[in-house]
Amino acid sequence: MAIGPDTKGVYTIAPTPFEADGKIDWESLDSMVDFYERCGVDGMTILGIMGEAPKLDAGESLEIVKRIVARTRLPVIVGVSAPGFAAMRSLARASIEVGAQGVMIAPPPALRTDDQIVTYFRNASEAVGEDVPFVLQDYPLTLSVVMTPVVIRRIVTDNPACFMLKHEDWPGLEKISALRGFQKDGSLRPLSILTGNGGLFLDFEMERGADGAMTGYSFPDMLVDVVKLSVAGERDKAHDLFDAHLPYLRYEQQPGVGLAVRKYVMMKRGAIASDAQRKPGSALSAAARQEVDYLLMRLESRVRKQAPR
Amino acid sequence: MAIGPDTKGVYTIAPTPFEADGKIDWESLDSMVDFYERCGVDGMTILGIMGEAPKLDAGESLEIVKRIVARTRLPVIVGVSAPGFAAMRSLARASIEVGAQGVMIAPPPALRTDDQIVTYFRNASEAVGEDVPFVLQDYPLTLSVVMTPVVIRRIVTDNPACFMLKHEDWPGLEKISALRGFQKDGSLRPLSILTGNGGLFLDFEMERGADGAMTGYSFPDMLVDVVKLSVAGERDKAHDLFDAHLPYLRYEQQPGVGLAVRKYVMMKRGAIASDAQRKPGSALSAAARQEVDYLLMRLESRVRKQAPR
Amino acid sequence: MAIGPDTKGVYTIAPTPFEADGKIDWESLDSMVDFYERCGVDGMTILGIMGEAPKLDAGESLEIVKRIVARTRLPVIVGVSAPGFAAMRSLARASIEVGAQGVMIAPPPALRTDDQIVTYFRNASEAVGEDVPFVLQDYPLTLSVVMTPVVIRRIVTDNPACFMLKHEDWPGLEKISALRGFQKDGSLRPLSILTGNGGLFLDFEMERGADGAMTGYSFPDMLVDVVKLSVAGERDKAHDLFDAHLPYLRYEQQPGVGLAVRKYVMMKRGAIASDAQRKPGSALSAAARQEVDYLLMRLESRVRKQAPR
Amino acid sequence: MAIGPDTKGVYTIAPTPFEADGKIDWESLDSMVDFYERCGVDGMTILGIMGEAPKLDAGESLEIVKRIVARTRLPVIVGVSAPGFAAMRSLARASIEVGAQGVMIAPPPALRTDDQIVTYFRNASEAVGEDVPFVLQDYPLTLSVVMTPVVIRRIVTDNPACFMLKHEDWPGLEKISALRGFQKDGSLRPLSILTGNGGLFLDFEMERGADGAMTGYSFPDMLVDVVKLSVAGERDKAHDLFDAHLPYLRYEQQPGVGLAVRKYVMMKRGAIASDAQRKPGSALSAAARQEVDYLLMRLESRVRKQAPR
């Protein structure tokens, strides 16, 4: 189960379960891993932005990596984005040592010019070690760093260790087409593209050439099925399933409060014991919880009508 | 048909139709107005961000106001946001003079502190004249100015001419609840709240207390129906109709390329003759047009199944 | 007195004089022009950021251009930066028609990638007309657009009408060296470089290869003398004069309040009748005025000791 | 030597010395501390932005705190700004345990509204512990968070542990006056204000009511003398000394390259063995080094003329 430029499928972005007082909930880490395996995902990406990674200290981060790697036989990718390369390197090396298969790196928000971005990833790969496979995260909405397809190609070309793009530009469909076009004209080597943004455009991202999804939607089983249907050429069925989820998916995909929604639903689905976040966190009002419940009810009813698929 | 704090319904955000060479398409302005009237909207907001207003010079802007006001008996609100108060005042006074009923003002992106924002709107209202009713636009995603509910209350309290909030924070449901809560506790005077963001949360925004929508979705007839169903307490039917549109609506609501999608569909629906934008504009690739066509086909089929409502 | 890639010397950035109630002070426009001519400047740049240009409406802007062009025989460059190309074109064409010799264009703050910046200036030059000479303004501190030397070279190469760089990156000395290096290796055609930032680094900018200054420091006579001394190879004398001004110059170069300082001193020097700004403007506290007075007293005393130069 | 709201004098912002290969230079840490003591500073602030703190990993940071605290009897303040509260708490608690006297906290760049800023510091103080004295860093130029005097008052009032403001807004003179005004009218409790920005306005900041400087200018002895002269009411002498340094000080105060300048001069003064920075770092070109050398020569000559003071 090695990861590489031909990796396909669904890598879930895992949240970090906490107890009400902010302590890490180690048992929920285990049950969450089991939940993801039951959902059929192909791998896990942990300690990303939606994993509340910046709220952990260095020791906690590594403990979480160890726990998850010990629990699963799926490939684990560790978010190691940090304000500096020393902290990035420390977590990356230690994670690989305990069994993680790769790391994910996002650019710091201050980067502006093409050259600044390209140089940053060169330095980052050198810092974590050229032997450490890394995922390039392209997420302008939150990180405010804008990478053109040409810049992505430069990064991939410069860094043999870059095997995957976590694509979450918005809008982003043309970017997938541009990168796949580069590959057709021979100017870009093979590269796995998994898409994010909560899955909001997964239906068309697959059709544009994505290899799957890397996002934390609380129904990873749906992501798995949509990816499979799409790969199988069952376009209408893929869209039918996707559309059934969209009213709720859109609700979970909100910035800020979205993580509260996601954890609430994962709690309802039995994946984690509590939807608590570490401070500073968002929380669901009573009204929001009722809205989510209503959306889930409608989702269930609509999916039931579609079955048997 | 005067506008005021009790205004309800759907105010469409009108695009500006251009010819392929960038000239204003005056005939399409007329046909677009007729289209909106057929769709049953309650008013129009013109020269907003999605109306490509910054691409017009001062003379063109006023000509467009005149043309639209002459064509319709619906209330017209004019976007007058400008880098300075002199230009804002010129367009506002001239628009009111030719028959517009109010103006809309967005904050300039450099504003940061609460006091800066409050002071800006005080100066803006003074500049356009205290007799000119204005809509406060709250659109952090694009404008990067963040207003808390308390800041909005301060602006409304300071400025008798402020009669409406164009609500497009994202996420924004709790903001509506907070403002309606202020009104319940007597700390905020009556205020119309119409919601934006392409309608992406209109279903729940209505339930939280919005008075309707002010957005440019290319099916304003759907917005009208959802608002009516929601007001009538037909919750499930409102959601059924909304959900049928959501797969396409999400596609139109993308930043940047969204306007190209919207104009393409308005062209297909006969509202305007061309989907051209003035430079710098976005354009649809062949792949994107096929995706839109596919979404419209599915939309039509799904709405047909729901009818008769 | 045609402007071009070999333009040298001091182009002052002119403020716009207002009366206390915000009206344009036309007589002060005349006396200000006379003041600049007495100071020995080589040209004037009007309607820039420090000229409060965004606070003027379209009609006022053109009237100011006319008045100044009629008053002086020096070359006049007009700031035409605008949110859109139609307004930019209107002011540019009209300004050239009444006798301005060129225009200055700054990039809008939303630009991020190298390609976005390059494309913007291609479109801008096309919009104002390829026959209109333009100055490229590079001012990241205020505009938050970062241009590498390579991007500047692309813009200059793409646009025959670009004859000058208004250099005000900070820090910026290495950028001048890089551009002059491009010219030495033949990859960049001749280009005038005038420097800004209130003159804070003029002493070394000249030594790095700048052709002079384009900034609004209220002692343009000092800028003129420092440029001359530097060109004449009188290094120590240039620094002596510059250093005598630096304590006050630093005070005038503050963002925001700096314009209030500048107008106050220009009023004291008889160039304009009032230091009023149009809203929203900054103002000097009593403490600040006393600080400026103290700095001017020390400046005068120190310059007197240096004379005769 | 306890720190508190009545702390006065000069707290130097210490850089972190590295060897050419990026390793921490432990011996230079010692010699640097000795240098600062010889210069007569009243305390040290370590692991700030200019201390390249984000480039260190958690273990390194604590080792540096230990080494410096062991070497000096001056009070040491530790920068603990971090993306999350867990890492902030870890470093803060450990630093106090080994003998640091307080910590410094800067706001994360994403904060916008007044309430967000106030809430952040409430949470931060709770996270590090209410018994840990902290310095509030107000540095909008780099951090892009804008705090009004009223917001600062709210933070100080909310958090008994906040004993000092590191003032480096720019411009900032009126902010000092406003805060001192709050204290006169009884609405703000005692608060030490030390100023930053490389000392660029120290002369007037002292006159406005600052208690001293907290900045890393490579001539801390000058800062010490200017503060003393200012406190002694020797206005002209304070300015004479300050002005003698200003041409070079301005050069060191440049963003980005400024740290390279500072380390180069500290190396020349024997404080540290190398001017190396950890990646990603800035470096001085040959031209820049010559400019610095020239400025230092002029500085020395001018200060010699002023002596004996």
Side-chain angles (χ1 to χ4, degrees), chain A residues 40-77:
Chain A
V41 304
D42 302 283
M44 288 177 218
T45 303
I46 65 175
L47 303 186
I49 297 167
M50 293 301 265
E52 299 176 70
K55 301 180 193 167
L56 304 167
D57 73 15
E60 292 173 326
S61 298
L62 187 56
E63 283 311 301
I64 289 172
V65 177
K66 282 185 195 165
R67 182 84 170 213
I68 287 183
V69 165
R71 185 80 181 185
T72 185
R73 277 182 302 177
L74 294 176
V76 173
I77 294 171

Side-chain angles (χ1 to χ4, degrees), chain B residues 127-201:
Chain B
V128 301
E130 316 255 350
D131 55 322
V132 175
F134 79 87
V135 179
L136 168 60
Q137 186 174 15
D138 179 22
Y139 191 16
L141 180 65
T142 291
L143 302 170
S144 77
V145 175
V146 184
M147 304 182 202
T148 62
V150 167
V151 162
I152 293 172
R153 183 172 61 185
R154 285 174 64 189
I155 295 169
V156 173
T157 302
D158 280 8
N159 298 287
C162 180
F163 72 100
M164 182 186 284
L165 175 70
K166 179 170 188 341
H167 163 282
E168 42 193 341
D169 202 348
W170 179 52
L173 295 174
E174 299 303 332
K175 193 173 254 184
I176 299 174
S177 295
L179 291 168
R180 292 311 187 204
F182 288 160
Q183 293 177 317
K184 264 178 217 139
D185 73 24
S187 66
L188 177 64
R189 64 172 169 81
L191 177 73
S192 174
I193 301 179
L194 302 188
T195 66
N197 271 326
L200 192 66
F201 282 87

Side-chain angles (χ1 to χ4, degrees), chain C residues 174 208 236 285 291 294 302, chain D residues 174 236 285 291 294 302:
Chain C
E174 299 303 332
R208 293 290 186 115
D236 290 348
S285 67
E291 288 162 349
Y294 179 71
R302 195 154 153 208
Chain D
E174 300 302 332
D236 290 348
S285 66
E291 288 163 349
Y294 179 70
R302 195 155 154 206

Side-chain angles (χ1 to χ4, degrees), chain A residues 22-39:
Chain A
K23 285 209 198 81
I24 296 167
D25 177 354
W26 299 100
E27 292 192 13
S28 283
L29 266 177
D30 290 344
S31 62
M32 182 183 73
V33 168
D34 300 347
F35 165 81
Y36 285 135
E37 295 196 344
R38 282 197 307 276
C39 288

Side-chain angles (χ1 to χ4, degrees), chain C residues 111 113-124 150-155 158-159:
Chain C
L111 300 181
T113 71
D114 290 4
D115 287 349
Q116 286 171 347
I117 300 168
V118 168
T119 302
Y120 181 82
F121 281 98
R122 186 77 278 279
N123 285 339
V150 168
V151 162
I152 292 172
R153 184 172 60 186
R154 285 174 63 190
I155 295 170
D158 280 8
N159 299 286

Side-chain angles (χ1 to χ4, degrees), chain C:
Chain C
M1 275 177 322
I3 53 177
D6 55 351
T7 294
K8 294 180 191 313
V10 174
Y11 276 61
T12 193
I13 295 282
T16 302
F18 292 103
E19 301 182 22
D21 61 0
K23 285 207 198 82
I24 295 167
D25 177 354
W26 298 101
E27 292 192 14
S28 283
L29 266 177
D30 289 345
S31 60
M32 182 183 72
V33 168
D34 300 347
F35 165 80
Y36 284 135
E37 295 196 343
R38 282 196 308 274
C39 288
V41 304
D42 302 282
M44 287 176 215
T45 303
I46 64 176
L47 302 186
I49 298 167
M50 293 301 266
E52 298 175 70
K55 301 179 192 168
L56 303 167
D57 74 14
E60 292 173 326
S61 297
L62 188 55
E63 284 311 302
I64 288 173
V65 178
K66 281 186 196 164
R67 182 84 170 213
I68 287 183
V69 165
R71 185 78 180 185
T72 187
R73 277 180 303 178
L74 294 175
V76 172
I77 294 171
V78 180
V80 297
S81 305
F85 292 133
M88 183 186 292
R89 176 184 173 84
S90 296
L91 181 57
R93 305 297 311 179
S95 294
I96 296 295
E97 210 161 282
V98 301
Q101 300 229 354
V103 302
M104 183 163 71
I105 304 174
L111 300 181
R112 280 290 168 272
T113 71
D114 290 4
D115 287 349
Q116 286 171 347
I117 300 168
V118 168
T119 302
Y120 181 82
F121 281 98
R122 186 77 278 279
N123 285 339
S125 181
E126 200 184 285
V128 301
E130 316 255 351
D131 55 324
V132 175
F134 79 87
V135 179
L136 167 61
Q137 186 174 16
D138 178 23
Y139 192 16
L141 180 67
T142 291
L143 302 169
S144 77
V145 175
V146 183
M147 304 184 202
T148 62
V150 168
V151 162
I152 292 172
R153 184 172 60 186
R154 285 174 63 190
I155 295 170
V156 173
T157 303
D158 280 8
N159 299 286
C162 180
F163 72 100
M164 183 186 283
L165 173 71
K166 179 172 186 341
H167 162 282
E168 42 193 341
D169 201 346
W170 179 52
L173 295 175
E174 299 303 332
K175 193 174 256 184
I176 299 174
S177 295
L179 291 168
R180 290 312 186 203
F182 288 161
Q183 292 177 319
K184 265 178 217 138
D185 73 23
S187 66
L188 176 65
R189 64 170 169 81
L191 177 73
S192 174
I193 302 180
L194 301 188
T195 66
N197 272 325
L200 193 64
F201 282 87
L202 180 60
D203 46 351
F204 290 112
E205 286 161 346
M206 289 304 298
E207 301 177 9
R208 293 290 186 115
D211 292 305
M214 183 185 280
T215 192
Y217 183 52
S218 55
F219 290 84
D221 26 351
M222 180 280 271
L223 303 176
V224 168
D225 289 344
V226 165
V227 168
K228 280 183 188 159
L229 287 167
S230 188
V231 168
E234 300 268 20
R235 190 185 198 191
D236 290 348
K237 283 188 184 162
H239 280 276
D240 287 344
L241 176 57
F242 181 83
D243 289 356
H245 278 261
L246 189 52
Y248 166 65
L249 187 153
R250 151 208 67 156
Y251 200 100
E252 184 181 308
Q253 200 257 344
Q254 296 175 86
V257 75
L259 181 59
V261 175
R262 177 174 296 170
K263 283 190 151 183
Y264 172 68
V265 173
M266 288 183 69
M267 182 180 69
K268 287 189 72 151
R269 297 192 77 194
I272 56 179
S274 158
D275 61 354
Q277 292 177 40
R278 214 174 238 191
K279 273 193 189 177
S282 52
L284 292 190
S285 67
R289 266 195 305 271
Q290 284 163 18
E291 288 162 349
V292 172
D293 292 344
Y294 179 71
L295 286 165
L296 293 182
M297 196 190 63
R298 288 175 61 86
L299 163 60
E300 197 181 355
S301 139
R302 195 154 153 208
V303 170
R304 209 182 309 117
K305 274 182 212 158
Q306 288 179 3
R309 289 198 301 276

